[in-house]
Amino acid sequence: MLGKILDRLVSMLRAAGDPTRLRLLLLLRQAELTVSELVEIVGQSQPRVSRHLKLLGEAGLVERFKEGSWVFCRASDRGVGAQLGAAIAGLADPQSQQADKARLAHVREVRAGAAAAYFKANAGEWERIRALHAPEKDVEAAIAHHLTGKVIENFLDAGTGTGRMLELIAPHARRAVGIDISPEMLAIARDRLLRSDIHNAQVRLADTYRLPFANQGTGVDAGTGFDVVLFHQVLHYLDDPSAAVAEAVRVMVPGGRLLIADFTPHQEEFLRDEFAHRRLGFSDREVESWFSAAGLTSAGSETIAPQGAGEKLTVKLWLATAKACSKKEAA
């Protein structure tokens, strides 16, 4: 056993020992980047950079994620790879990284510009919806109150959108992951995380019906499940919210917590016609039926009613917990 651990450590050190691979590793500890962005920063050919990334990935120091025709890379955030990466970064000479950091700053500016353009083009639509319910700060305060009272190991924001919930909750979690089916939204979320200097959060292109994470019920890949899952203003877009909740439970650890923040039933048909809302809110009975079907236990709710002029929609938070391990299972 000790021999295998030492062999793995030697493999990691060998991978990080090359000057270019060291540069790539240090860059990917600062930001999640595409292969083309890394090519621009380090000034080497795409095949050469891809080869270096492959070796870093095989050593467990870097993770690669395909998103459409793009491949995103980031430094490993768990296990020995993350620990060694942190140790190497702590020993690296800051002065030797200045040129790469300057080019990284330029890449970030380009990315931020693209995200800002998309946000500007759609901001009017989002603001029109926000004006119909209680201020977002009130909703966010309620979500934070319910989720951050206990330590969070792994947080999943299902349907992260612009990444605001990651920005809100990630500082209270060891690790945070946001998934969304829209590459444009993920671009905004990545920019938000960069601007907020949040390094323990990442986003992935994925479907809420088919989460790219291990089934916690099988005991496979133990320790990677989520102890907190959030659906914030997501389920009203789905044709089968119950299936999305069941899929979230699949990747939750025993005793994990799930929170839904969405609208109660309303009659604003324009949201369906103009903003692709498939459902005009949910009743307590319906949400609790999802919880029951997924094996969750309802853990209360909170209503945030409209108060200001023009506000018509009520936002509600529904909480539930997953079944905890029995003493026999824990043993």
Side-chain angles (χ1 to χ4, degrees):
M1 181 68 177
L2 179 59
K4 289 183 179 180
I5 294 174
L6 289 175
D7 287 345
R8 185 180 180 193
L9 184 58
V10 169
S11 175
M12 288 181 172
L13 289 171
R14 186 179 294 117
D18 177 87
T20 299
R21 291 198 287 274
L22 177 58
R23 291 172 65 192
L24 292 170
L25 178 60
L26 293 174
L27 282 165
L28 292 172
R29 284 192 56 78
Q30 300 176 64
E32 184 177 275
L33 298 164
T34 65
V35 174
S36 60
E37 288 170 338
L38 288 166
V39 166
E40 179 182 344
I41 293 171
V42 301
Q44 297 187 19
S45 68
Q46 187 271 328
R48 187 178 181 86
V49 170
S50 292
R51 172 62 178 166
H52 285 307
L53 291 170
K54 182 174 184 293
L55 293 172
L56 288 169
E58 290 173 348
L61 292 168
V62 164
E63 298 175 347
R64 293 157 57 92
F65 300 90
K66 190 171 178 58
E67 190 172 294
S69 60
W70 290 9
V71 175
F72 281 90
C73 305
R74 67 176 286 121
S76 295
D77 62 353
R78 289 171 292 170
V80 178
Q83 296 172 27
L84 182 58
I88 291 172
L91 294 170
D93 178 13
Q95 289 300 117
S96 67
Q97 303 173 56
Q98 290 305 311
D100 281 351
K101 285 185 176 181
R103 286 188 284 267
L104 173 60
H106 173 70
V107 166
R108 283 175 162 174
E109 289 175 5
V110 172
R111 182 187 290 182
Y118 180 81
F119 188 87
K120 182 178 180 180
N122 294 275
E125 297 181 357
W126 296 331
E127 289 300 328
R128 186 179 173 191
I129 296 175
R130 289 193 185 101
L132 292 174
H133 61 76
E136 201 66 40
K137 63 179 179 63
D138 296 342
V139 177
E140 291 180 1
I143 290 172
H145 170 74
H146 288 290
L147 294 186
T148 62
K150 295 169 60 176
V151 174
I152 301 173
E153 286 294 317
N154 290 300
F155 169 65
L156 175 62
D157 185 19
T160 193
T162 65
R164 172 54 190 157
M165 291 298 104
L166 287 175
E167 184 181 42
L168 179 70
I169 303 299
H172 304 276
R174 185 185 67 81
R175 174 175 175 262
V177 180
I179 66 102
D180 203 282
I181 202 167
S182 166
E184 293 81 7
M185 285 296 190
L186 292 181
I188 295 174
R190 285 192 176 97
D191 178 59
R192 182 189 291 275
L193 295 176
L194 286 173
R195 288 176 177 272
S196 301
D197 199 30
I198 294 175
H199 298 287
N200 67 326
Q202 57 183 280
V203 295
R204 293 283 165 266
L205 182 70
D207 191 331
T208 52
Y209 294 131
R210 291 176 290 277
L211 297 173
F213 309 112
N215 184 349
Q216 292 303 298
T218 65
V220 175
D221 207 11
T224 64
F226 296 93
D227 53 322
V228 173
V229 176
L230 171 65
F231 287 98
H232 173 245
Q233 299 291 13
V234 171
L235 296 182
H236 58 246
Y237 289 107
L238 305 184
D239 58 357
D240 191 355
S242 179
V245 170
E247 175 66 354
V249 173
R250 181 184 67 79
V251 302
M252 288 173 64
V253 298
R257 296 175 288 154
L258 184 144
L259 188 153
I260 295 171
D262 218 307
F263 300 127
T264 59
H266 62 85
Q267 302 299 319
E268 300 301 318
E269 286 286 346
F270 83 93
L271 291 175
R272 177 175 286 155
D273 299 333
E274 300 178 34
F275 296 98
H277 287 207
R278 294 187 66 87
R279 301 293 304 279
L280 300 184
F282 304 106
S283 67
D284 290 344
R285 182 176 179 179
E286 185 170 20
V287 173
E288 287 168 7
S289 73
W290 304 338
F291 290 164
S292 177
L296 296 171
T297 300
S298 180
S301 62
E302 179 176 352
T303 300
I304 306 172
Q307 297 178 354
E311 295 177 5
K312 301 177 182 179
L313 304 180
T314 295
V315 175
K316 190 155 188 175
L317 276 56
W318 293 273
L319 299 99
T321 57
K323 180 182 177 182
C325 277
S326 68
K327 291 183 178 179
K328 183 178 181 180
E329 291 171 329

